[in-house]
Amino acid sequence: MDLNHNLGREEARRRIAGNIGSLPEHLPGNVADVAHRWEGDTLKLTLGAMGQEVLGDIDVREDSVHVTVTLPPMLALFAGAIQAALNRKGSDLLLEDRSDD
C-alpha cells in the first residue's frame, strides 16, 4: 500500500528513521522484537509477533511511502486489520515529526 506525503524523500526517510523505535507500541500481537536495516531508501523490517516472523519493507519515495508486509500463514487472518490500521494511522506513525520530543 502507498502512503502519500509532500515531504520529499530525504525528510520522509529522516522521520521514518526517527519513529521506527516506537513501532512496537502501535502494533497488536505482543511484538517482542523489531530488527531493521536500511538498504538504500528501503527500510527492511523483521518483527517477531505471536511466535511468528513478519517481514516488511518501507520504500521511501519522493511523494509517497510504499509499505509491503509479508505475513506467515498463521497471521494471514489479520491482514485486513493490519491494512486498515495502516490506512488509518500509517502516515501519522511513520511520518510524524518527533524531532522536538
Side-chain angles (χ1 to χ4, degrees), residues 17-40:
N19 293 338
I20 201 67
S22 68
L23 188 61
E25 301 166 18
H26 300 279
L27 298 173
N30 298 322
V31 174
D33 186 34
V34 176
H36 64 279
R37 72 183 187 290
W38 286 98
E39 290 184 7

Side-chain angles (χ1 to χ4, degrees), residues 48-68:
M50 298 172 61
Q52 302 290 307
E53 187 174 82
V54 176
L55 302 176
D57 288 346
I58 301 174
D59 183 27
V60 183
R61 301 172 181 172
E62 190 64 28
D63 60 359
S64 67
V65 175
H66 184 77
V67 180
T68 305

Side-chain angles (χ1 to χ4, degrees), residues 34-49:
V34 176
H36 64 279
R37 72 183 187 290
W38 286 98
E39 290 184 7
D41 288 323
T42 300
L43 182 63
K44 301 285 203 173
L45 295 168
T46 304
L47 309 170

